[in-house]
Amino acid sequence: MNILKTIVLAATTLMGVNVFPAATSCINQEPDSLSLKKAFEDKFFIGTALNLDQIWERDARAVAVIKQQFNSIVAENCMKSMFLQPREGEFFFKDADRFIAFGQQNKMQIIGHTLIWHSQTPAWFFVDKNGKDVSRDVLIERMRKHIHTVVSRYKGKVSGWDVVNEAILDNGEWRKSKFYEIIGPDFIKLAFQFAHEADPNAELYYNDYSTAIPEKRKGIMAMVQQVKAAGGQISGIGMQEHNALDNPSLAEVEKTILGFAGLGVKVMVTEMDISVLPHVRPNMGAEIGERYAYRKETNPYEKGLPADKMAELGKRYVDFFRLYLKHQDKISRVTLWGVGDADSWKNGWPIPGRTDYPLLFDRHYQAKPFLKDIIALTQKKK
């Protein structure tokens, strides 16, 4: 979702804190029994987001976990428009090409993220040489050229694209982004049209956070229905699932799964993590523009995660995966937004400088104690 990443405590400090005793070296001892992709292979894809050190295989420990545990990958940042086309007509494909090559070499499902987003779009996209907003026709053409160029380059290699990201607000209304202000709501239909033109065989997704909020869920469903009625090629909806220990409720997430599936599209979990840190406000989603000042009381686990919190995190993860398995006929993929805790954007958002523990692997890429409990869910009927 986002490029934010904070500097974490020095590895020597973390290595001196024994916060994951049950997970120590378990991957090396029992790789087959602790393989997520093997456990879920007949249910749905298990994915993760890759940063540049992982894409270029500079982080050997992370890469080993990626290859062992996951069969679907998405680029955390390098396929967003600000990195692919920082200046008009100047495309930078080196990192994205390497990402694609990594996926192909390891026979993984490859997801493209993201073509149209109000954030991390270069400023030039919306203005003329005088700094004034461009016309509707100009912005549509820029959008068309960007989507055609990028999607065509990876035609037949990318299984599915996050075509539009986060166009609906928590209250169910349209986000008044520059795309919306200049083009109007048609920008979504056009984005899906252009992507389909460039690769008719690729799946095309709408992706958003806080989809369990009833008003937002209704707004997304209404938008998708409108786009599909106008001939838009939406094949799936991504629930980002940037969650907390206490919200959203599983009941509301289940309503979202059922509601989205009822539209005749695939449903997928696209950016999952579960923060253990105090939220600044209720229903905190993933709006990267939100920032709050650091206070020590908002960073309670700087020196390690207590056992009771680890158990609470584990129960939360198991509950979510149990729900996803219940609806495996509707869910095509579950993707974690990062590999290990140190990689996570949640360390720096919405409060810079915090230490979070939102993923399935710790800062040393060791499996957390509850990974085996998630895998055990798949074996109960065998």
Side-chain angles (χ1 to χ4, degrees):
M1 205 313 287
N2 168 327
I3 63 171
L4 292 174
K5 189 174 179 183
T6 192
I7 298 175
V8 298
L9 291 174
T12 53
T13 301
L14 282 172
M15 289 175 70
V17 181
N18 187 20
V19 292
F20 306 117
T24 303
S25 73
C26 58
I27 288 181
N28 294 328
Q29 293 176 1
E30 300 179 276
D32 293 335
S33 64
L34 284 175
S35 173
L36 286 164
K37 68 181 182 182
K38 289 182 180 179
F40 288 90
E41 64 183 348
D42 60 344
K43 303 176 189 326
F44 40 70
F45 283 97
I46 295 287
T48 189
L50 273 56
N51 61 33
L52 288 182
D53 283 341
Q54 295 154 2
I55 288 168
W56 287 98
E57 301 193 55
R58 296 189 289 255
D59 188 339
R61 290 185 301 173
V63 170
V65 172
I66 292 163
K67 292 179 179 181
Q68 181 191 74
Q69 298 290 331
F70 301 101
N71 53 18
S72 176
I73 56 171
V74 60
E76 187 178 18
N77 287 300
C78 69
M79 297 185 83
K80 294 170 180 173
S81 57
M82 70 179 289
F83 298 106
L84 282 183
Q85 195 181 182
R87 290 167 294 279
E88 185 170 14
E90 297 181 20
F91 287 87
F92 177 79
F93 287 116
K94 183 178 180 180
D95 293 332
D97 285 353
R98 177 67 191 121
F99 166 73
I100 299 294
F102 181 96
Q104 290 183 310
Q105 289 164 9
N106 293 288
K107 297 179 172 56
M108 293 173 166
Q109 179 194 58
I110 301 172
I111 304 298
H113 176 82
T114 177
L115 295 170
I116 298 297
W117 188 24
H118 68 277
S119 184
Q120 293 181 248
T121 299
W124 68 261
F125 224 95
F126 308 110
V127 297
D128 61 20
K129 61 182 180 181
N130 298 315
K132 304 293 185 181
D133 283 357
V134 294
S135 68
R136 185 177 189 272
D137 288 345
V138 168
L139 184 55
I140 289 173
E141 176 56 23
R142 287 179 176 178
M143 193 169 71
R144 186 200 65 79
K145 181 178 180 181
H146 180 81
I147 293 173
H148 274 199
T149 302
V150 174
V151 176
S152 296
R153 184 179 185 88
Y154 303 119
K155 181 179 180 180
K157 300 176 181 179
V158 169
S159 299
W161 287 94
D162 289 335
V163 177
V164 177
N165 225 35
E166 302 170 9
I168 303 296
L169 297 173
D170 287 359
N171 63 6
E173 297 178 359
W174 287 89
R175 181 187 295 277
K176 303 306 187 291
S177 67
K178 279 295 182 183
F179 289 107
Y180 182 90
E181 289 179 349
I182 297 174
I183 298 175
D186 278 355
F187 85 89
I188 292 188
K189 182 195 73 170
L190 290 167
F192 279 90
Q193 174 189 322
F194 298 151
H196 183 66
E197 290 169 355
D199 188 351
N201 295 319
E203 291 187 345
L204 306 177
Y205 315 133
Y206 173 76
N207 188 46
D208 215 328
Y209 61 82
S210 296
T211 56
I213 296 175
E215 294 81 6
K216 185 163 191 171
R217 178 170 63 236
K218 292 175 185 175
I220 292 171
M221 291 175 65
M223 178 273 292
V224 170
Q225 287 174 315
Q226 291 169 14
V227 173
K228 286 174 69 70
Q233 303 288 332
I234 297 182
S235 46
I237 305 177
M239 310 184 303
Q240 289 184 13
E241 296 293 85
H242 293 294
N243 296 327
L245 291 176
D246 57 354
N247 84 285
S249 74
L250 290 169
E252 290 298 336
V253 174
E254 184 168 31
K255 289 178 184 176
T256 301
I257 294 170
L258 295 172
F260 288 172
L263 299 175
V265 299
K266 290 186 177 181
V267 182
M268 56 212 68
V269 176
T270 55
E271 304 183 19
M272 189 180 191
D273 47 39
I274 301 177
S275 175
V276 301
L277 298 179
H279 267 31
V280 177
R281 61 174 179 80
N283 296 318
M284 194 80 186
E287 177 50 62
I288 68 170
E290 287 195 64
R291 287 289 186 284
Y292 300 91
Y294 179 91
R295 290 180 291 113
K296 189 171 181 60
E297 57 267 32
T298 66
N299 190 29
Y301 311 122
E302 187 175 1
K303 297 187 182 300
L305 193 63
D308 62 334
K309 278 293 170 184
M310 179 68 78
E312 188 178 354
L313 176 64
K315 182 181 184 304
R316 185 74 161 148
Y317 259 113
V318 168
D319 286 345
F320 271 107
F321 270 88
R322 184 181 291 113
L323 177 64
Y324 302 151
L325 282 169
K326 178 181 177 181
H327 296 291
Q328 62 183 276
D329 60 322
K330 305 171 186 67
I331 292 177
S332 61
R333 169 171 55 98
V334 174
T335 292
L336 283 298
W337 202 245
V339 183
D341 287 338
D343 305 323
S344 176
W345 72 292
K346 299 305 285 287
N347 292 296
W349 180 91
I351 300 173
R354 298 201 295 178
T355 303
D356 208 344
Y357 303 82
L359 297 169
L360 300 182
F361 296 85
D362 68 21
R363 280 170 165 73
H364 310 300
Y365 298 105
Q366 295 296 318
K368 291 181 179 176
F370 53 82
L371 186 72
K372 65 182 185 301
D373 301 320
I374 294 173
I375 289 174
L377 292 172
T378 70
Q379 301 167 344
K380 287 187 176 180
K381 293 182 180 180
K382 294 181 180 179

